[in-house]
Amino acid sequence: MKKSLIALAVLAASGAAMAQSSVTVFGVVDEAVTYVNGADNWNGINSGGNATSRIGFRGVEDLGGGLKANFWLEAGILADSGSGQSGGASGSGLEFKRRSTVGLEGGFGEVRLGRDLTEAYKATSRYDVFGQVGLGVSRLWADANAVALTNQRVSNMITYVSPNISGFKAAVNYGFGEVAGENRDSRYVGAGLTYDNGPLSLGLSGERSNRGANSNLTRDVTAWALGGSYDLGVVKLSAAYRDSSAKIVSGDKNKAKGYYLGLSAPVGAAGEVKASYNRYEGEIAGADKHKADQFALGYVHNLSKRTAVYGTYAYIKNKDDGALGQTLGTAATLKDNGSQHGLQVGIRHAF
Amino acid sequence: MKKSLIALAVLAASGAAMAQSSVTVFGVVDEAVTYVNGADNWNGINSGGNATSRIGFRGVEDLGGGLKANFWLEAGILADSGSGQSGGASGSGLEFKRRSTVGLEGGFGEVRLGRDLTEAYKATSRYDVFGQVGLGVSRLWADANAVALTNQRVSNMITYVSPNISGFKAAVNYGFGEVAGENRDSRYVGAGLTYDNGPLSLGLSGERSNRGANSNLTRDVTAWALGGSYDLGVVKLSAAYRDSSAKIVSGDKNKAKGYYLGLSAPVGAAGEVKASYNRYEGEIAGADKHKADQFALGYVHNLSKRTAVYGTYAYIKNKDDGALGQTLGTAATLKDNGSQHGLQVGIRHAF
Amino acid sequence: MKKSLIALAVLAASGAAMAQSSVTVFGVVDEAVTYVNGADNWNGINSGGNATSRIGFRGVEDLGGGLKANFWLEAGILADSGSGQSGGASGSGLEFKRRSTVGLEGGFGEVRLGRDLTEAYKATSRYDVFGQVGLGVSRLWADANAVALTNQRVSNMITYVSPNISGFKAAVNYGFGEVAGENRDSRYVGAGLTYDNGPLSLGLSGERSNRGANSNLTRDVTAWALGGSYDLGVVKLSAAYRDSSAKIVSGDKNKAKGYYLGLSAPVGAAGEVKASYNRYEGEIAGADKHKADQFALGYVHNLSKRTAVYGTYAYIKNKDDGALGQTLGTAATLKDNGSQHGLQVGIRHAF
């Protein structure tokens, strides 16, 4: 009883702050000094070397009877300049382009409406030891070749996520194309299946995004991916494969595929070392064929659960530095031999 | 004394969280699966079927002696895509275009500076049972015909709101035109008078927005509206009328007027059914004349005070589907017979 | 022990609210009714007459051993219209253009990465009794002549701030130009040295911003400034001087310099009166020479620590109202005699 009296006093005393318990303000500010070697060397400050800089507002409300409502609004930030980062696009005002959803969850699983990462993307990209950011990022899911593009995030989606059944979870997305008079145009359909049990984790994903009569570029982009990891304790091994293709106007297909291998290992109480290898292969129908190999090595030193300093080294080597040549940084260009290496050292703080 | 000791402990313990009591983070995420029938059927996810999706920051500070300071910053969100919704305009970054004010309130009433809903709009639009959003929205105040446009929100305003006197409240807005050398150009002046006493509620509003020599379209838009509701317990009845006209360059007047009838009734402990009828009439001087009838039916099921699921059905029938033809959704077009119907089912979550 | 029990109860009871202690939501909403006399008189509502309207999110995390991590995200607001104010630019969405940093601080001082006010700007602009906002603002640091522009804020910076040693503090900024293949182009280098001891405060600053081969305007803008204040109790006196020059393509130099004198004095328990005089001198190489005198008088009445009402009067007189003529407000123009005066009365509320 005394405890509840105190609790009441707390409620009385903290007023507005308690009223705030329905919303959590969260985010990350991550910036790194970056150097990229190439035909034109580049150095500067990059936002998000270890985790994407962001700010968000989220909450969960218990509706009783096992039912919960939730919302999630999350905006990307280019912390080096203070601009918003709108789902990849840079330089604009703050937008909740990383996630903007409302949902209901219960024994049946979860139903969500809005913009989010696709379940296909989430099911397999989670095996990237570099967390899909920074110089070491695996671009299997980014499709840097842009020959068979699928979006990591899609607007106007209905999402269903199943409950966890013996470690298995299935999730599907349907993204409306919202083109009047056309149900298929710009539509997105995808699914992710995951299995997580002890040291073993597996993910499988498939997706199709339609571009109808309104598009003169590509239509019916199809992609699938497979990934997994196994935690041996001293080291955690991970691997993934992704394949995507796009029917173009001529009827031919552009193709992209990629292989990923990664490992991460704890170093002492606060450190983590990680390494990855990526192979990218792309083909523009009847035109260009291309291969690139990427190696990355990283170290993260955790100063607390929320704060870390980190360093990342990455090297890329293109077998063909033509139109499909891949670079480590957007502002830098490849050397004559098609290679490039980069280094970044930064601070990541989560709140 | 014990209570204050505990309160002190609370203050000591909660630190920054208590410091936060000066600002409340609030908002709504509302999304609905929407289908609109017409010449070109449209389906997709709409933001704000039951309440406009938004995020805001507000607070009230007690200055002592009955005086309070307040601030209110509120930004609209297109939750289906994560973009900001800037006072009607879509697709841009987050802006506090819904409300951005600082004010002082006391026995004398309240003085506010900044951008806000006009008091004229608030005094009568509040009778719309669909809360001025979604497929069932009454467009009396939106003037969808755009022949005699007044803005629901105005920037650069001084606002005075009287204290409540026996249920009566008066409020006036003066919005500076901010055109150098011109005091009248782009100026807004409006007022709302409301009476709320037990089951009876009444509202009266009048406004004028000037467009001076700099405008080649219309000038001196004048509008007035009247509304009211009566709560019989089993059902609450509401009605409104709005009339607006705009002097155009020729000296003639464009005209728009609308009638609204509505009802809402509780269903069990958690449900609410609502229905409305709107008649829109518009006239472009010497050119087009137009009429449209709109019916809407809605059901809201409250899962908690903050969360609801809802469904809305609306039907519109134009007597003339020319330039002034009104549609239920922006992306859809009318059938040959000038009609259209739409349905939306969604989740609204407030935080 | 009882206290810690209570603290635990607080933690248990306040849940999410306590989790929020890692982030502080803060800001200012400041709006003023403003009148500016001139060739074309202007009146309206201005945002930020006493302090810039803004919203921000910041926090400090204790990492133990004297080490702390911090982050700071701050966006400007044009509170009169609700738009974001992006580091001076207006009318756009919310961006953290005022400050966007992550840092580590300890016995060694502080290292920060990101966008911020420059240390050169902070070391001396702090002597402006009008806090660098509103009609009375000293434009020594804004360089309204725009003949030798340096930025108050710079992106992509590494900042080092020394610990306080007997009242002395030194701080340096290095802002990457981030131009591929060019290390000097667009680079910023600056420093501020401050001394604060009892009633005496001094500041010295120097900076250089490079514009390399890519710029056809000016390159190698150099500026230095000196400022100080002395608090006599009944009145606080302050003064500053700033000099900037820009090498232009011809090899000649554009020049700008300014003198500032200010005073502020408490009036009763809640009031503060302040006055300032500024002399601006500018020269475009081989072309125009210009001088202007500005006087400002202000009164701030604090209703609480967070809320104040204020009034500011300012007068400017140009010796030459040509291309370099300075005005009090952007929307207004000078009288025939090159003068202008303005008045603003407003409310400032901090949260």
Side-chain angles (χ1 to χ4, degrees):
Chain A
M1 196 186 80
K2 190 173 181 181
K3 219 175 143 181
S4 65
L5 262 177
I6 293 169
L8 280 173
V10 172
L11 278 166
S14 59
M18 289 303 297
Q20 290 296 29
S21 66
S22 61
V23 52
T24 299
V25 182
F26 68 96
V28 170
V29 184
D30 177 331
E31 302 187 56
V33 180
T34 304
Y35 168 75
V36 182
N37 179 331
D40 285 326
N41 296 352
W42 185 95
N43 51 50
I45 307 279
N46 272 182
S47 179
N50 179 259
T52 304
S53 297
R54 74 193 75 172
I55 188 163
F57 306 86
R58 59 179 152 82
V60 176
E61 183 193 12
D62 196 329
L63 300 167
L67 196 65
K68 287 175 183 178
N70 62 56
F71 78 97
W72 193 297
L73 299 169
E74 186 178 325
I77 302 169
L78 290 171
D80 50 345
S81 68
S83 293
Q85 184 185 36
S86 302
S90 71
S92 51
L94 222 57
E95 296 183 72
F96 296 120
K97 284 289 187 196
R98 287 180 62 81
R99 183 166 170 186
S100 172
T101 60
V102 60
L104 289 173
E105 52 188 302
F108 61 89
E110 184 181 356
V111 172
R112 275 198 304 263
L113 299 177
R115 177 180 179 85
D116 202 350
L117 287 169
T118 66
E119 296 296 332
Y121 175 75
K122 287 196 281 184
T124 50
S125 69
R126 62 182 178 147
Y127 298 108
D128 180 3
V129 286
F130 286 95
Q132 288 284 285
V133 291
L135 280 184
V137 59
S138 167
R139 271 168 287 176
L140 258 61
W141 297 271
D143 184 17
N145 282 326
V147 295
L149 202 64
T150 50
N151 293 316
Q152 297 178 4
R153 292 178 174 85
V154 171
S155 295
N156 306 309
M157 290 199 298
I158 307 185
T159 299
Y160 170 72
V161 182
S162 81
N164 187 320
I165 300 170
S166 314
F168 284 98
K169 232 176 171 178
V172 291
N173 293 126
Y174 180 87
F176 287 95
E178 299 201 343
V179 178
E182 298 257 2
N183 281 330
R184 266 180 92 251
D185 194 0
S186 299
R187 186 181 63 177
Y188 172 89
V189 185
L193 179 66
T194 56
Y195 176 74
D196 291 279
N197 203 339
L200 178 65
S201 174
L202 293 169
L204 175 68
S205 60
E207 58 189 326
R208 168 171 283 214
S209 76
N210 295 116
R211 295 196 183 105
N214 290 335
S215 169
N216 55 6
L217 278 173
T218 58
R219 46 179 89 174
D220 298 346
V221 180
T222 311
W224 67 272
L226 189 68
S229 67
Y230 196 87
D231 195 345
L232 295 161
V234 290
V235 64
K236 190 177 177 180
L237 304 172
S238 53
Y241 173 78
R242 188 165 188 266
D243 184 297
S244 61
S245 65
K247 231 192 281 182
I248 55 174
V249 178
S250 67
D252 291 332
K253 278 187 176 180
N254 290 346
K255 288 175 190 170
K257 62 185 173 185
Y259 311 84
Y260 157 85
L261 289 173
L263 65 83
S264 67
V267 177
E272 184 196 11
V273 70
K274 48 195 188 178
S276 72
Y277 163 69
N278 283 279
R279 177 35 136 16
Y280 307 121
E281 297 181 10
E283 182 182 350
I284 294 180
D288 206 1
K289 248 181 163 173
H290 176 260
K291 285 178 188 172
D293 291 299
Q294 176 187 308
F295 303 88
L297 185 68
Y299 176 70
V300 180
H301 187 80
N302 295 296
L303 299 171
S304 76
K305 281 192 179 177
R306 292 165 46 202
T307 305
V309 289
Y310 61 89
T312 305
Y313 167 81
Y315 173 80
I316 199 161
K317 173 86 173 130
N318 285 263
K319 298 243 156 70
D320 158 20
D321 61 348
L324 294 175
Q326 302 215 25
T327 61
L328 290 173
T330 50
T333 49
L334 295 167
K335 285 180 164 183
D336 280 349
N337 70 352
S339 78
Q340 197 181 53
H341 63 84
L343 185 67
Q344 64 187 179
V345 175
I347 308 168
R348 182 259 298 151
H349 178 73
F351 58 94
Chain B
M1 195 185 78
K2 189 174 181 181
K3 217 176 146 181
S4 65
L5 263 177
I6 293 169
L8 280 174
V10 171
L11 279 166
S14 58
M18 289 303 296
Q20 291 295 30
S21 65
S22 62
V23 52
T24 300
V25 182
F26 68 97
V28 171
V29 184
D30 178 330
E31 302 188 55
V33 180
T34 304
Y35 168 76
V36 182
N37 179 330
D40 285 325
N41 297 351
W42 184 94
N43 51 51
I45 307 278
N46 272 184
S47 179
N50 179 261
T52 304
S53 298
R54 75 195 74 174
I55 188 162
F57 306 85
R58 61 178 150 83
V60 177
E61 182 193 12
D62 196 331
L63 299 168
L67 195 65
K68 288 175 183 179
N70 61 57
F71 78 97
W72 193 297
L73 298 169
E74 185 178 324
I77 302 168
L78 290 172
D80 50 345
S81 68
S83 293
Q85 184 184 37
S86 303
S90 70
S92 49
L94 223 56
E95 295 184 74
F96 296 120
K97 284 287 187 196
R98 288 182 60 81
R99 184 166 169 184
S100 172
T101 60
V102 61
L104 289 173
E105 53 189 300
F108 62 89
E110 184 181 357
V111 172
R112 275 199 303 263
L113 298 176
R115 178 181 177 84
D116 203 349
L117 287 169
T118 66
E119 295 296 331
Y121 174 75
K122 286 196 281 184
T124 50
S125 70
R126 62 183 179 146
Y127 298 108
D128 180 4
V129 288
F130 286 95
Q132 288 285 284
V133 291
L135 280 183
V137 60
S138 168
R139 270 167 288 176
L140 259 61
W141 297 270
D143 183 19
N145 281 328
V147 294
L149 202 65
T150 51
N151 293 316
Q152 297 177 4
R153 290 178 175 86
V154 172
S155 295
N156 307 309
M157 291 199 299
I158 306 185
T159 299
Y160 169 72
V161 182
S162 81
N164 187 321
I165 301 168
S166 312
F168 284 97
K169 232 176 173 177
V172 291
N173 293 124
Y174 180 87
F176 287 94
E178 299 200 345
V179 178
E182 298 256 1
N183 282 329
R184 265 180 92 250
D185 194 359
S186 301
R187 187 182 62 179
Y188 173 89
V189 185
L193 178 66
T194 56
Y195 176 74
D196 291 278
N197 202 338
L200 179 65
S201 173
L202 293 169
L204 175 68
S205 61
E207 58 190 327
R208 169 171 282 216
S209 75
N210 295 116
R211 295 194 183 106
N214 290 335
S215 168
N216 56 6
L217 278 173
T218 59
R219 45 180 90 173
D220 297 346
V221 179
T222 311
W224 66 271
L226 188 68
S229 68
Y230 196 89
D231 194 344
L232 294 162
V234 290
V235 63
K236 189 177 176 180
L237 303 173
S238 54
Y241 172 78
R242 188 166 188 266
D243 184 296
S244 61
S245 66
K247 232 192 281 181
I248 55 173
V249 177
S250 68
D252 290 334
K253 279 187 176 180
N254 290 346
K255 289 175 191 170
K257 61 184 173 184
Y259 311 85
Y260 156 85
L261 289 173
L263 65 84
S264 67
V267 178
E272 183 196 11
V273 70
K274 49 195 187 178
S276 72
Y277 163 71
N278 284 279
R279 175 35 129 26
Y280 308 121
E281 296 181 10
E283 183 182 349
I284 293 180
D288 207 1
K289 249 181 161 175
H290 176 260
K291 287 179 187 172
D293 292 299
Q294 175 188 310
F295 303 88
L297 186 68
Y299 177 71
V300 180
H301 188 79
N302 293 299
L303 298 171
S304 76
K305 282 190 178 179
R306 292 165 47 203
T307 306
V309 289
Y310 61 88
T312 306
Y313 167 82
Y315 173 81
I316 198 161
K317 173 84 173 132
N318 285 263
K319 296 244 156 70
D320 158 17
D321 61 349
L324 294 174
Q326 302 215 25
T327 61
L328 290 173
T330 50
T333 50
L334 294 167
K335 285 181 163 179
D336 281 349
N337 69 353
S339 78
Q340 196 181 52
H341 64 83
L343 186 68
Q344 64 186 180
V345 176
I347 308 169
R348 182 260 299 151
H349 178 72
F351 57 95
Chain C
M1 195 186 80
K2 190 175 180 181
K3 219 177 146 182
S4 65
L5 262 176
I6 293 168
L8 280 174
V10 171
L11 278 167
S14 59
M18 289 304 297
Q20 290 296 29
S21 65
S22 62
V23 51
T24 299
V25 183
F26 68 97
V28 171
V29 185
D30 178 330
E31 301 187 56
V33 180
T34 304
Y35 167 76
V36 182
N37 180 331
D40 285 326
N41 296 352
W42 184 93
N43 51 51
I45 307 279
N46 272 184
S47 180
N50 178 261
T52 304
S53 298
R54 75 194 74 173
I55 188 162
F57 306 86
R58 60 179 150 85
V60 176
E61 182 192 12
D62 196 331
L63 299 168
L67 196 64
K68 288 176 183 179
N70 61 56
F71 78 97
W72 193 298
L73 298 169
E74 186 178 326
I77 302 169
L78 290 171
D80 50 344
S81 67
S83 293
Q85 184 185 34
S86 301
S90 71
S92 51
L94 221 57
E95 296 182 74
F96 297 120
K97 284 289 187 196
R98 287 181 61 80
R99 183 167 170 184
S100 172
T101 59
V102 61
L104 288 174
E105 52 189 302
F108 61 88
E110 184 181 356
V111 173
R112 275 198 304 262
L113 299 177
R115 178 182 177 83
D116 202 349
L117 287 169
T118 66
E119 296 295 330
Y121 175 76
K122 286 195 282 185
T124 50
S125 70
R126 60 181 180 148
Y127 298 108
D128 180 3
V129 287
F130 286 96
Q132 288 284 285
V133 292
L135 281 183
V137 62
S138 167
R139 270 168 289 176
L140 258 60
W141 298 271
D143 182 17
N145 282 327
V147 294
L149 202 66
T150 49
N151 293 316
Q152 297 178 5
R153 290 178 175 85
V154 171
S155 295
N156 307 309
M157 289 199 299
I158 306 185
T159 299
Y160 169 72
V161 183
S162 81
N164 187 320
I165 300 169
S166 313
F168 284 98
K169 232 177 171 177
V172 292
N173 293 126
Y174 180 87
F176 288 94
E178 300 201 344
V179 178
E182 298 257 3
N183 281 330
R184 266 179 92 251
D185 194 359
S186 301
R187 185 181 62 177
Y188 173 89
V189 184
L193 177 67
T194 57
Y195 176 75
D196 291 278
N197 202 339
L200 178 65
S201 174
L202 292 169
L204 174 67
S205 60
E207 58 190 326
R208 170 171 280 215
S209 76
N210 294 117
R211 293 193 185 106
N214 290 335
S215 169
N216 55 6
L217 279 172
T218 59
R219 46 181 89 173
D220 297 347
V221 180
T222 311
W224 66 272
L226 188 68
S229 68
Y230 196 89
D231 194 346
L232 294 161
V234 291
V235 63
K236 189 177 177 180
L237 303 172
S238 52
Y241 171 78
R242 188 167 188 265
D243 184 296
S244 60
S245 66
K247 231 192 281 179
I248 55 174
V249 177
S250 68
D252 291 332
K253 278 188 175 180
N254 290 345
K255 290 175 190 169
K257 62 184 172 186
Y259 311 84
Y260 157 86
L261 289 172
L263 66 83
S264 67
V267 178
E272 182 195 12
V273 71
K274 48 195 187 178
S276 72
Y277 163 70
N278 283 280
R279 177 30 129 30
Y280 307 121
E281 296 180 10
E283 181 182 351
I284 293 180
D288 206 1
K289 248 181 162 174
H290 176 260
K291 285 179 189 172
D293 291 300
Q294 176 187 309
F295 304 87
L297 186 67
Y299 176 71
V300 180
H301 188 80
N302 294 298
L303 299 170
S304 76
K305 281 191 180 178
R306 293 167 44 204
T307 306
V309 290
Y310 62 89
T312 305
Y313 167 81
Y315 173 79
I316 198 161
K317 173 85 172 130
N318 284 264
K319 297 243 154 71
D320 158 18
D321 62 349
L324 294 175
Q326 302 216 24
T327 61
L328 290 173
T330 50
T333 50
L334 294 167
K335 285 181 163 181
D336 279 348
N337 70 353
S339 78
Q340 196 182 53
H341 64 83
L343 186 67
Q344 65 186 178
V345 176
I347 309 168
R348 181 260 299 151
H349 177 74
F351 58 95

